[in-house]
Amino acid sequence: MQNIREIYLAGGCFWGVESFMQRIKGVIKAQSGYANGSTDNPSYQDVCAGSGHAEVVKVTYDTNQISLAKLLDYFFKVIDPVSINQQGGDIGIQYRTGIYYVDPQDEPVISQALAELQTQFDKPLAVENEMLEQYFPAEEYHQEYLVKNPTGYCHIDIQLMNEILKNQ
């Protein structure tokens, strides 16, 4: 019997985060979208123009196959958690890092994971830990972008993704 949960992860451009999450055993679906901004139903152009939204991936997963803590551990391996509003060559508030939850019971798990991650860095983490305020799916051309465009830009090294997940 499945125990379905969701978490929203911001790790720079959503194309790579979505592609990575789709490869993890226990993840049922990963969908690119926009979260926690100042306007309803923003377009990609609105987000790039400063609507305040983060590019996020809505991750639907089965806790019988993967815990939130393990999912976050994977996520932390493909982001620079001390970089402010930038991942790779992508710069802007929409490329900030964050974890946005819908179930308040997830907050202590996220806080613990971030506290453990902080011990690996001298600089303070820039990863937001907040309740999801709102989420809007990105346009269809953004969904499964790297599947549709295998040579498309990605700030996450695809070989690194494969290496991280090799023994899952």
Side-chain angles (χ1 to χ4, degrees), residues 7-54:
I7 196 77
Y8 297 75
L9 303 175
C13 175
F14 44 35
W15 296 340
V17 177
E18 179 195 68
S19 180
F20 181 61
M21 289 293 139
Q22 288 171 335
R23 298 165 191 244
I24 298 173
K25 184 179 182 215
V27 170
I28 297 164
K29 182 173 172 74
Q31 179 188 55
S32 292
Y34 312 113
N36 289 15
S38 61
T39 59
D40 284 342
N41 205 24
S43 67
Y44 180 67
Q45 290 72 24
D46 294 334
V47 173
C48 291
S51 67
H53 293 85

Side-chain angles (χ1 to χ4, degrees), residues 29-146:
K29 182 173 172 74
Q31 179 188 55
S32 292
Y34 312 113
N36 289 15
S38 61
T39 59
D40 284 342
N41 205 24
S43 67
Y44 180 67
Q45 290 72 24
D46 294 334
V47 173
C48 291
S51 67
H53 293 85
E55 287 195 12
V56 299
V57 175
K58 175 184 177 182
V59 180
T60 306
Y61 64 102
D62 179 355
T63 61
N64 292 332
Q65 294 186 44
I66 189 166
S67 67
L68 176 57
K70 184 64 177 171
L71 195 63
L72 294 176
D73 184 51
Y74 281 133
F75 174 61
F76 295 153
K77 290 179 182 349
V78 295
I79 64 167
D80 177 351
V82 296
S83 181
I84 299 170
N85 298 334
Q86 178 176 359
Q87 291 293 299
D90 300 314
I91 301 171
I93 192 168
Q94 70 270 32
Y95 299 119
R96 67 188 181 270
T97 54
I99 304 164
Y100 308 105
Y101 55 91
V102 291
D103 183 343
Q105 293 181 17
D106 288 343
E107 197 281 331
V109 176
I110 298 164
S111 290
Q112 178 64 35
L114 289 170
E116 289 172 14
L117 182 64
Q118 180 62 70
T119 65
Q120 300 170 35
F121 294 90
D122 294 330
K123 293 169 65 177
L125 298 182
V127 182
E128 294 179 336
N129 174 10
E130 298 176 0
M131 177 75 86
L132 181 74
E133 294 171 17
Q134 87 279 92
Y135 169 78
F136 304 98
E139 296 84 348
E140 183 56 37
Y141 71 91
H142 287 299
Q143 306 303 331
E144 298 191 338
Y145 184 85
L146 292 176

